[in-house]
């Protein structure tokens, strides 16, 4: 890559030098033509002016070739989402929704090269949402997301991708637990999943119900359990004491 850049820089410098020489040579030729009158037609016109024009054409061609070989600026990313409840594709672009685009791409960017050959049963998958990743306005990748699948979210990556240069293997993957909430926050019509809500600025919502947070009830239950345990221990000690007393009485009678 470094060698190619050096060669391109050398070609650009040569093109600029050729253009400068063409300009310098074309100036005297115009002056000579003005002083002596109109230039004659025919082979005699192939002089410095013609050479300068040829050099100028060569410089322009070199500049065009250099511009074609210089890498273009990276285009912004985007995602299109289609699926259950969406009457039209949900189009998100990094120029207008950078946070949402990054969040959706994060759901599929970590997948490995190989996944499971088969996934859950179709009845256990739940609603399907297809995410297409774009560079500029060109689709490059596609994934099927199942945020409400039984046993946890699932991702299916088809072998056929929009970009022919991408050689992927079809496979099923376990998705992130935050998949449902991520899709919901970017505009997909999904119900809120409280078990995936995490705290943030200002705190998150309470995941456990209020009735499960009752310290007084927990203490009373613990004391009652301790009381039953103590009574059981006392009963066991009485049984052991009576047993020992009976054994001692039998031994005393036999030894008389």
């Amino acid at each position: 890559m470094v060698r190619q850049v050096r060669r391109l820089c050398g070609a650009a410098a040569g093109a600029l030098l050729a253009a400068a020489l063409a300009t310098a040579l074309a100036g005297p030729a115009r002056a000579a033509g003005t002083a002596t009158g109109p230039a004659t037609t025919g082979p005699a016109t192939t002089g410095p002016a013609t050479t300068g024009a040829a050099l100028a054409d060569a410089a322009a061609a070199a500049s065009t070739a250099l511009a074609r070989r210089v890498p273009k600026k990276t285009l912004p990313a985007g995602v299109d989402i289609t699926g259950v409840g969406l009457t039209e594709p949900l189009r998100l672009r990094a120029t207008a929704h950078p946070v949402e685009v990054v969040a959706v791409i994060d759901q599929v960017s970590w997948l490995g090269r190989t996944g499971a050959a088969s996934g859950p049963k179709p009845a256990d998958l739940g609603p399907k949402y297809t995410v297409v990743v774009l560079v500029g306005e060109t689709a490059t990748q596609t994934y099927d997301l199942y945020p409400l699948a039984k046993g946890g979210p699932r991702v299916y990556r088809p072998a056929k991708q929009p970009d022919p240069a991408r050689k992927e293997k079809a496979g099923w993957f376990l998705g992130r637990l935050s998949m449902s909430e991520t899709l919901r926050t970017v505009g997909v019509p999904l119900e809120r999943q409280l078990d995936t809500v995490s705290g943030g600025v200002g705190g998150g919502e309470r995941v456990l119900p209020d009735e499960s947070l009752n310290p007084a009830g927990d203490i009373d239950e613990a004391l009652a359990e301790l009381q039953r345990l103590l009574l059981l221990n006392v009963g066991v000690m009485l049984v052991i004491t009576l047993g020992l007393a009976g054994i001692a009485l039998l031994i005393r009678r036999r030894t008389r």
Side-chain angles (χ1 to χ4, degrees), residues 14-256:
L16 293 176
L17 180 59
L21 289 175
T23 304
L25 291 174
R30 294 193 194 97
T34 304
T36 60
T40 59
T41 61
T45 58
T46 59
T50 305
T51 305
L55 290 175
D57 293 340
S63 300
T64 303
L66 178 63
R68 290 177 179 176
R69 298 185 64 179
V70 172
K72 296 181 179 179
K73 184 179 179 181
T74 303
L75 297 174
V79 293
D80 286 347
I81 305 175
T82 57
V84 179
L86 292 172
T87 56
E88 59 183 14
L90 180 62
R91 305 182 188 279
L92 302 173
R93 300 295 181 266
T95 53
H97 305 88
V99 177
E100 290 81 356
V101 171
V102 171
V104 174
I105 294 179
D106 182 62
Q107 296 293 323
V108 296
S109 61
W110 58 275
L111 302 180
R113 295 192 59 83
T114 58
S118 60
K121 297 178 180 179
D124 297 337
L125 287 174
K128 168 186 172 182
Y129 296 95
T130 300
V131 173
V132 178
V133 181
L134 303 99
V135 176
E137 292 299 327
T138 303
T140 58
Q141 306 171 51
T142 182
Y143 302 91
D144 294 333
L145 275 59
Y146 300 89
L148 303 181
K150 291 184 179 180
R154 294 289 195 280
V155 179
Y156 175 71
R157 181 180 61 200
K160 185 178 180 181
Q161 295 290 313
D163 185 1
R166 296 186 66 88
K167 304 298 182 182
E168 301 288 359
K169 293 183 179 179
W172 288 87
F173 301 86
L174 286 172
R176 297 187 186 278
L177 295 178
S178 60
M179 181 187 297
S180 177
E181 277 300 292
T182 298
L183 294 177
R184 187 188 67 82
T185 54
V186 301
V188 176
L190 287 170
E191 294 184 2
R192 193 166 195 176
Q193 303 295 314
L194 295 180
D195 55 345
T196 61
V197 175
S198 58
V201 178
E205 291 191 7
R206 177 174 293 173
V207 177
L208 297 176
D210 292 336
E211 55 269 17
S212 65
L213 302 176
N214 186 5
D218 294 339
I219 293 175
D220 294 340
E221 185 177 354
L223 291 176
E225 190 68 25
L226 180 61
Q227 184 179 5
R228 288 193 294 269
L229 181 61
L230 290 176
L231 291 175
L232 180 61
N233 289 335
V234 170
V236 171
M237 292 298 296
L238 288 176
V239 171
I240 293 175
T241 302
L242 292 176
L244 291 176
I247 294 173
L249 182 60
L250 290 174
I251 293 175
R252 184 177 180 182
R253 288 182 178 178
R254 290 183 179 180
T255 54
R256 286 182 178 179

Side-chain angles (χ1 to χ4, degrees), residues 1-26:
M1 183 65 183
V2 175
R3 293 180 180 177
Q4 292 180 356
V5 173
R6 289 179 179 176
R7 291 176 182 174
L8 293 176
C9 292
L16 293 176
L17 180 59
L21 289 175
T23 304
L25 291 174

